Amino acid sequence: MIRLHQSFGAHAGRVLNFKQDLIRFGRLPECEVAFDPNVDLDASGRHAEVRRRGAEYVLTDVGSRNGTWINGRRVQEAVLATGDEIEFGPGGPRIRVEVFSPTGLPPGRSSSSSVPVPSRPAPTHVGPSAGTFAKIWRDPISREAFLWGIGVGVLAVVFSGMFVSLLVGLLLSV
């Protein structure tokens, strides 16, 4: 079994459990892990898939536009381990992975042990994602709102300066 925790994206916080041999990721509705087609723009329609090979789960990029990243490294194919974090395009949705052995326990944990032993440490992310501005710029509605905000801000500064200079001129002429 594999458990997927979405840590970033429109569906952040969801947890999905899978026992099947194929799991598809992307913005298309037929994907088992379907990302929001209007928000998760860094993910492709058909982005990647995970296939079970024996006791392992193997992630493969299936020709995505922005690439697939595991723990900050771009990959074409990789064996998944507990603690891995998959990112679907820089700044795109992120999924943290938990791989369970055929007994249903995480690897390195027997039924008598009390502390799980991950095969790799979980990655840490600090600050906003690198693709935040790119995501805003690619979406025409967000881009227009962003540009209007800048325009209104510039006009406010210009008119405030004109108002202050007019006030100063009036006060000095009195």
Side-chain angles (χ1 to χ4, degrees):
M1 185 177 101
I2 188 168
R3 179 174 293 149
L4 305 171
H5 303 262
Q6 186 162 352
S7 58
F8 184 78
H11 301 297
R14 74 175 166 175
V15 178
L16 303 165
N17 296 306
F18 294 100
K19 292 183 179 179
Q20 66 238 46
D21 293 334
L22 173 65
I23 307 161
R24 297 169 299 170
F25 298 83
R27 290 187 294 142
L28 294 176
E30 63 262 17
C31 292
E32 285 75 22
V33 181
F35 301 121
D36 189 299
N38 299 312
V39 177
D40 295 322
L41 301 176
D42 293 300
S44 296
R46 288 187 182 91
H47 197 103
E49 63 185 28
V50 169
R51 288 188 181 272
R52 183 170 43 193
R53 292 187 193 156
E56 295 181 327
Y57 287 90
V58 179
L59 174 75
T60 304
D61 186 296
V62 293
S64 68
R65 179 184 67 237
N66 292 322
T68 303
W69 306 73
I70 296 181
N71 303 328
R73 289 186 25 222
R74 190 170 185 164
V75 298
Q76 182 59 43
E77 186 171 278
V79 175
L80 294 174
T82 295
D84 282 343
E85 186 165 64
I86 308 167
E87 188 171 17
F88 299 89
R94 289 192 298 263
I95 302 268
R96 188 174 41 84
V97 175
E98 254 186 292
V99 178
F100 293 85
S101 69
T103 63
L105 296 170
R109 185 173 183 182
S110 68
S111 59
S112 60
S113 68
S114 59
V115 179
V117 181
S119 56
R120 292 185 210 161
T124 57
H125 290 279
V126 179
S129 71
T132 303
F133 179 76
K135 186 180 288 186
I136 289 170
W137 197 253
R138 277 197 305 271
D139 178 39
I141 294 171
S142 297
R143 181 176 55 234
E144 184 176 355
F146 176 76
L147 292 173
W148 270 103
I150 288 175
V152 168
V154 168
L155 285 174
V157 168
V158 168
F159 284 120
S160 297
M162 289 172 53
F163 181 72
V164 167
S165 64
L166 180 66
L167 262 176
V168 169
L170 284 174
L171 289 175
L172 290 177
S173 67
V174 174

